[in-house]
Amino acid sequence: MKILVVGGGGREHTICWALSRSATVFCAPGNPGTHNIGTNLPISPSDHDAVVAAIRENQIDLTVIGPEAPLAEGLVDRLVAEGLHVFGPDAKAAQLESSKAFAKDIMVAAGVATAAGEQFTDAKEAIDYIATHPEPLVVKASGLAAGKGAVVCPDRETAKTTAREMLAGKFGSAGDLILVEECLQGEELSVIALTDGEEVMLLPSSQDHKRLGEGDTGPNTGGMGAYAPVSIAGPELLDQALNDVMKPVLAKMAEMGTPYRGILYAGLMIDAKGKPWVLEFNCRIGDPEAQVVLPVLDTDLTDHLWRIASGENWTPDDLRYASSRAAVTTVLASPGYPAAPVKGAAITIPEELPPDSLLFHAGTSLDADGVLRTSGGRVLCATGLGVDVTEALARSQSLAEAVDFEGKVFRRDIAWREVARAGAA
Ligand code: AMP
Ligand code: GLY
């Protein structure tokens, strides 16, 4: 089978790697990592005509969309209209991520636990609401804002300023509509599922590390590392995620005429009683969650994605996929990331990677002389596998140390919560 993966970051390299075990992969536009395992097609995911032409020219059987933007832009709708097989939700269903207001309305209608709040287009109304609600508060731009659209505000003044700035265009039209909601407390957990709109298969749970610095300090980033599975996500919690979150939302989506097919990612806050509350939905695998969730799967991903996309009799082999292995990924970032990453440094990678170690490319490029250089904020993801998170972490860290470029920035405490739990047990 020939599969085209759309996108070009660490997530897409990981998806290509997972699919390449049983398929021939193409990636558009891809990166030097996907180049090593398949064929890169120099096409922008926004150029739908070029994507369709490349699918026909290369006789692609299945297209898998990595990032959210092409989903929101309707690439799936276009490919379906062309009679092509594609894995991912159409633009209407992808509103679950591209419109936080849409997602909130669906959750409320489906009776799914989520933060209480209100939606505003008018700054004065937002500010009046903020004035009468307890601190802290979370202010969110409804539209896609490259992961920066949710601001946790410790006090009302910050919330008011944030609301004003968003409605004044700080995130462009993504902030024309904002949500102000209560701030939930607890531990965050990512639960990512494959779904054909009815059946759901939960992939191993994972946890991202958004802050730049160790101890979860410093600015928010796209994610500095992740691990899977997470031990707080026991069978009872996963059953709640399946039956009280995923299934009711899918049923409501179908009922509203926007059936959902693809990856469904629930960003959850687990409260002190162990109950999951939904912070957000994404309609794609997380990045860097993909770099830990896919490597611990030993089911054939190609087969699942093909069956879901082609409408062929898909049955999850396990509702709650239980992995016998653990993975940790450490992101290597450029100096100055996230505000102003310095790019262009030459990268050295050990000729042979140690066992149970995987290196996924994100912001790398090959220059005219064939030298691999940094070309983005997040450069590489060093994934280690092991029987448990502690073993996986050691492998991830030693790979992160072994790869080098000037000014490389990385956290040495990925999975610290899990390591602390293992130590306490
Ligand atoms: P979102 O873009 O909605 O996923 O939010 C990004 C991040 O903001 C989440 O991963 C949480 O850390 C935080 N967040 C969002 N909503 C809330 C909330 N209601 N309470 C507490 N934290 C939140
Ligand atoms: N790592 C979080 C995300 O991909 O949204």
Side-chain angles (χ1 to χ4, degrees):
M1 178 168 315
K2 287 182 172 180
I3 306 186
L4 171 65
V5 175
V6 172
R11 162 185 44 221
E12 287 73 32
H13 184 187
T14 315
I15 295 172
C16 285
W17 169 83
L19 295 172
S20 70
R21 294 194 264 190
S22 57
T24 303
V25 295
F26 293 72
C27 196
N31 63 35
T34 61
H35 171 73
N36 290 336
I37 50 176
T39 307
N40 283 349
L41 304 173
I43 294 172
S44 159
S46 300
D47 186 345
H48 297 185
D49 289 341
V51 175
V52 171
I55 291 171
R56 299 222 190 277
E57 190 182 321
N58 294 287
Q59 299 176 315
I60 302 289
D61 300 293
L62 170 66
T63 301
V64 176
I65 317 284
E68 64 278 17
L71 295 166
E73 288 165 9
L75 181 55
V76 169
D77 309 55
R78 172 69 189 276
L79 299 189
V80 168
E82 298 277 348
L84 299 166
H85 291 310
V86 55
F87 179 83
D90 62 19
K92 273 190 174 160
Q95 289 178 94
L96 215 41
E97 174 168 1
S98 64
S99 165
K100 290 185 193 296
F102 175 91
K104 189 64 92 177
D105 292 344
I106 292 274
M107 285 189 267
V108 170
V112 168
T114 183
E118 286 285 342
Q119 302 172 17
F120 301 96
T121 52
D122 178 83
K124 183 174 180 310
E125 285 175 22
I127 284 161
D128 288 348
Y129 178 89
I130 290 166
T132 57
H133 284 78
E135 306 169 339
L137 285 159
V138 183
V139 181
K140 299 181 178 186
S142 178
L144 290 180
K148 300 192 174 74
V151 183
V152 178
C153 305
D155 51 62
R156 288 194 195 94
E157 280 320 303
T158 316
K160 286 179 187 172
T161 309
T162 306
R164 239 185 250 117
E165 285 175 356
M166 282 186 185
L167 287 166
K170 185 172 182 191
F171 295 112
S173 60
D176 288 350
L177 174 62
I178 64 166
L179 289 77
V180 181
E181 60 186 42
E182 66 176 323
C183 188
L184 300 172
Q185 307 294 333
E187 183 165 343
E188 286 189 48
L189 181 76
S190 303
V191 176
I192 299 172
L194 300 177
T195 179
D196 63 355
E198 285 179 27
E199 300 293 330
V200 180
M201 176 171 156
L202 299 187
L203 302 181
S205 58
S206 57
Q207 214 168 47
D208 186 10
H209 297 62
K210 286 266 179 209
R211 301 294 198 95
L212 180 70
E214 287 171 17
D216 293 330
T217 54
N220 256 321
T221 70
M224 294 299 291
Y227 70 95
V230 184
S231 61
I232 58 165
E236 202 180 312
L237 177 55
L238 291 176
D239 280 345
Q240 288 183 67
L242 186 66
N243 297 318
D244 303 342
V245 176
M246 301 281 186
K247 292 237 169 160
V249 161
L250 291 170
K252 188 53 74 179
M253 293 286 285
E255 187 191 313
M256 311 253 303
T258 51
Y260 190 98
R261 202 173 65 170
I263 294 279
L264 183 55
Y265 166 140
L268 303 174
M269 185 73 90
I270 312 304
D271 73 12
K273 292 188 183 135
K275 175 178 167 169
W277 297 72
V278 178
L279 297 173
E280 62 162 345
F281 284 112
N282 293 321
C283 48
R284 52 180 172 83
I285 314 191
D287 187 345
E289 288 94 327
Q291 288 85 317
V292 290
V293 168
L294 299 182
V296 299
L297 289 184
D298 38 35
T299 180
D300 182 11
L301 188 66
T302 300
D303 188 57
H304 287 285
L305 302 197
W306 168 256
R307 283 177 189 275
I308 290 173
S310 64
E312 221 184 71
N313 190 17
W314 177 65
T315 37
D317 32 53
D318 198 341
L319 296 185
R320 295 189 259 105
Y321 185 87
S323 168
S324 56
R325 303 228 283 170
V328 174
T329 198
T330 302
V331 171
L332 302 176
S334 293
Y337 177 71
V342 179
K343 305 171 195 173
I347 304 170
T348 48
I349 294 175
E351 224 151 83
E352 264 197 52
L353 297 189
D356 286 328
S357 305
L358 297 161
L359 189 63
F360 296 113
H361 291 236
T364 69
S365 64
L366 279 174
D367 71 15
D369 298 327
V371 177
L372 187 69
R373 293 191 181 274
T374 62
S375 65
R378 291 190 292 174
V379 178
L380 291 153
C381 305
T383 296
L385 297 161
V387 290
D388 56 24
V389 165
T390 308
E391 193 177 292
L393 174 64
R395 293 206 169 103
S396 169
Q397 277 179 345
S398 72
L399 183 58
E401 300 278 2
V403 172
D404 207 21
F405 56 86
E406 200 181 332
K408 125 187 121 164
V409 173
F410 68 98
R411 281 180 62 168
R412 288 176 174 76
D413 69 340
I414 302 304
W416 64 268
R417 286 188 182 80
E418 196 67 26
V419 170
R421 279 192 280 266

Tab-separated table of all heavy atoms in Angstrom, residues 100 115 138 140 150 152 181-184 188 269 279-280, ligand 1:
chain	number	residue	atom	x	y	z
A	100	LYS	N	-13.096	26.518	19.443
A	100	LYS	CA	-13.284	26.098	20.840
A	100	LYS	C	-14.728	26.338	21.275
A	100	LYS	O	-15.239	25.657	22.165
A	100	LYS	CB	-12.312	26.839	21.752
A	100	LYS	CG	-10.856	26.411	21.568
A	100	LYS	CD	-9.957	27.085	22.581
A	100	LYS	CE	-8.481	26.950	22.254
A	100	LYS	NZ	-7.970	25.583	22.287
A	115	ALA	N	-14.935	22.764	31.779
A	115	ALA	CA	-14.958	23.986	32.598
A	115	ALA	C	-16.180	24.836	32.252
A	115	ALA	O	-16.507	25.016	31.081
A	115	ALA	CB	-13.683	24.785	32.351
A	138	VAL	N	-9.499	31.373	32.896
A	138	VAL	CA	-8.797	31.036	31.648
A	138	VAL	C	-9.507	31.766	30.512
A	138	VAL	O	-10.738	31.723	30.412
A	138	VAL	CB	-8.802	29.511	31.405
A	138	VAL	CG1	-8.001	29.172	30.152
A	138	VAL	CG2	-8.216	28.783	32.608
A	140	LYS	N	-9.655	32.220	26.356
A	140	LYS	CA	-9.245	31.486	25.150
A	140	LYS	C	-9.791	32.136	23.887
A	140	LYS	O	-10.970	32.494	23.835
A	140	LYS	CB	-9.811	30.056	25.181
A	140	LYS	CG	-9.348	29.220	26.341
A	140	LYS	CD	-9.947	27.826	26.253
A	140	LYS	CE	-9.444	26.963	27.383
A	140	LYS	NZ	-9.881	25.572	27.260
A	150	ALA	N	-4.796	29.843	24.512
A	150	ALA	CA	-5.413	29.665	25.837
A	150	ALA	C	-4.484	30.268	26.877
A	150	ALA	O	-3.316	29.891	26.956
A	150	ALA	CB	-5.624	28.187	26.129
A	152	VAL	N	-3.955	31.070	30.876
A	152	VAL	CA	-4.383	30.895	32.263
A	152	VAL	C	-4.017	32.180	32.997
A	152	VAL	O	-2.846	32.555	33.068
A	152	VAL	CB	-3.683	29.671	32.901
A	152	VAL	CG1	-4.088	29.522	34.365
A	152	VAL	CG2	-4.020	28.400	32.120
A	181	GLU	N	-13.404	31.036	31.013
A	181	GLU	CA	-13.889	29.896	31.794
A	181	GLU	C	-13.155	29.721	33.103
A	181	GLU	O	-12.086	30.300	33.327
A	181	GLU	CB	-13.856	28.614	30.949
A	181	GLU	CG	-12.501	28.220	30.449
A	181	GLU	CD	-12.571	27.013	29.490
A	181	GLU	OE1	-13.463	26.954	28.634
A	181	GLU	OE2	-11.709	26.117	29.626
A	182	GLU	N	-13.760	28.907	33.966
A	182	GLU	CA	-13.133	28.629	35.262
A	182	GLU	C	-11.845	27.858	35.039
A	182	GLU	O	-11.698	27.136	34.050
A	182	GLU	CB	-14.094	27.810	36.140
A	182	GLU	CG	-14.341	26.426	35.578
A	182	GLU	CD	-15.218	25.543	36.455
A	182	GLU	OE1	-15.109	25.606	37.684
A	182	GLU	OE2	-16.012	24.773	35.868
A	183	CYS	N	-10.932	28.020	35.980
A	183	CYS	CA	-9.653	27.333	35.870
A	183	CYS	C	-9.744	26.008	36.633
A	183	CYS	O	-9.971	25.995	37.849
A	183	CYS	CB	-8.563	28.215	36.457
A	183	CYS	SG	-6.930	27.551	36.174
A	184	LEU	N	-9.592	24.926	35.916
A	184	LEU	CA	-9.663	23.603	36.550
A	184	LEU	C	-8.309	23.258	37.155
A	184	LEU	O	-7.266	23.648	36.634
A	184	LEU	CB	-10.041	22.557	35.504
A	184	LEU	CG	-11.385	22.774	34.810
A	184	LEU	CD1	-11.562	21.791	33.652
A	184	LEU	CD2	-12.534	22.612	35.806
A	188	GLU	N	-2.821	17.067	34.138
A	188	GLU	CA	-3.258	16.938	32.743
A	188	GLU	C	-2.865	15.590	32.156
A	188	GLU	O	-1.848	15.007	32.513
A	188	GLU	CB	-2.656	18.066	31.898
A	188	GLU	CG	-3.328	19.398	32.163
A	188	GLU	CD	-2.900	20.485	31.204
A	188	GLU	OE1	-2.895	20.246	29.971
A	188	GLU	OE2	-2.566	21.579	31.679
A	269	MET	N	-8.146	17.239	32.177
A	269	MET	CA	-7.642	17.575	33.508
A	269	MET	C	-8.256	16.547	34.452
A	269	MET	O	-9.476	16.385	34.488
A	269	MET	CB	-8.075	18.996	33.902
A	269	MET	CG	-7.497	19.459	35.218
A	269	MET	SD	-5.739	19.822	35.061
A	269	MET	CE	-5.761	21.546	34.615
A	279	LEU	N	-10.350	19.752	28.699
A	279	LEU	CA	-9.812	21.098	28.469
A	279	LEU	C	-9.970	21.483	27.018
A	279	LEU	O	-10.221	22.629	26.682
A	279	LEU	CB	-8.323	21.142	28.821
A	279	LEU	CG	-7.959	20.871	30.277
A	279	LEU	CD1	-6.446	20.776	30.424
A	279	LEU	CD2	-8.519	21.963	31.169
A	280	GLU	N	-9.745	20.507	26.152
A	280	GLU	CA	-9.776	20.786	24.707
A	280	GLU	C	-9.849	19.474	23.942
A	280	GLU	O	-9.501	18.420	24.471
A	280	GLU	CB	-8.504	21.511	24.272
A	280	GLU	CG	-7.261	20.659	24.508
A	280	GLU	CD	-6.030	21.083	23.731
A	280	GLU	OE1	-6.150	21.871	22.780
A	280	GLU	OE2	-4.944	20.586	24.061
B	1	AMP	P1	-6.181	24.516	25.133
B	1	AMP	O1	-5.575	25.282	23.998
B	1	AMP	O2	-7.609	24.752	25.360
B	1	AMP	O3	-5.772	23.128	25.138
B	1	AMP	O4	-5.384	24.954	26.437
B	1	AMP	C1	-3.986	24.872	26.490
B	1	AMP	C2	-3.575	24.651	27.916
B	1	AMP	O5	-4.164	25.650	28.754
B	1	AMP	C3	-4.055	23.331	28.505
B	1	AMP	O6	-3.175	22.292	28.181
B	1	AMP	C4	-4.070	23.661	29.970
B	1	AMP	O7	-2.762	23.618	30.510
B	1	AMP	C5	-4.531	25.088	29.999
B	1	AMP	N1	-6.000	25.188	30.165
B	1	AMP	C6	-6.926	25.344	29.193
B	1	AMP	N2	-8.161	25.422	29.729
B	1	AMP	C7	-8.020	25.333	31.047
B	1	AMP	C8	-8.929	25.341	32.153
B	1	AMP	N3	-10.242	25.524	31.990
B	1	AMP	N4	-8.425	25.192	33.395
B	1	AMP	C9	-7.087	25.045	33.593
B	1	AMP	N5	-6.188	25.020	32.605
B	1	AMP	C10	-6.630	25.177	31.347
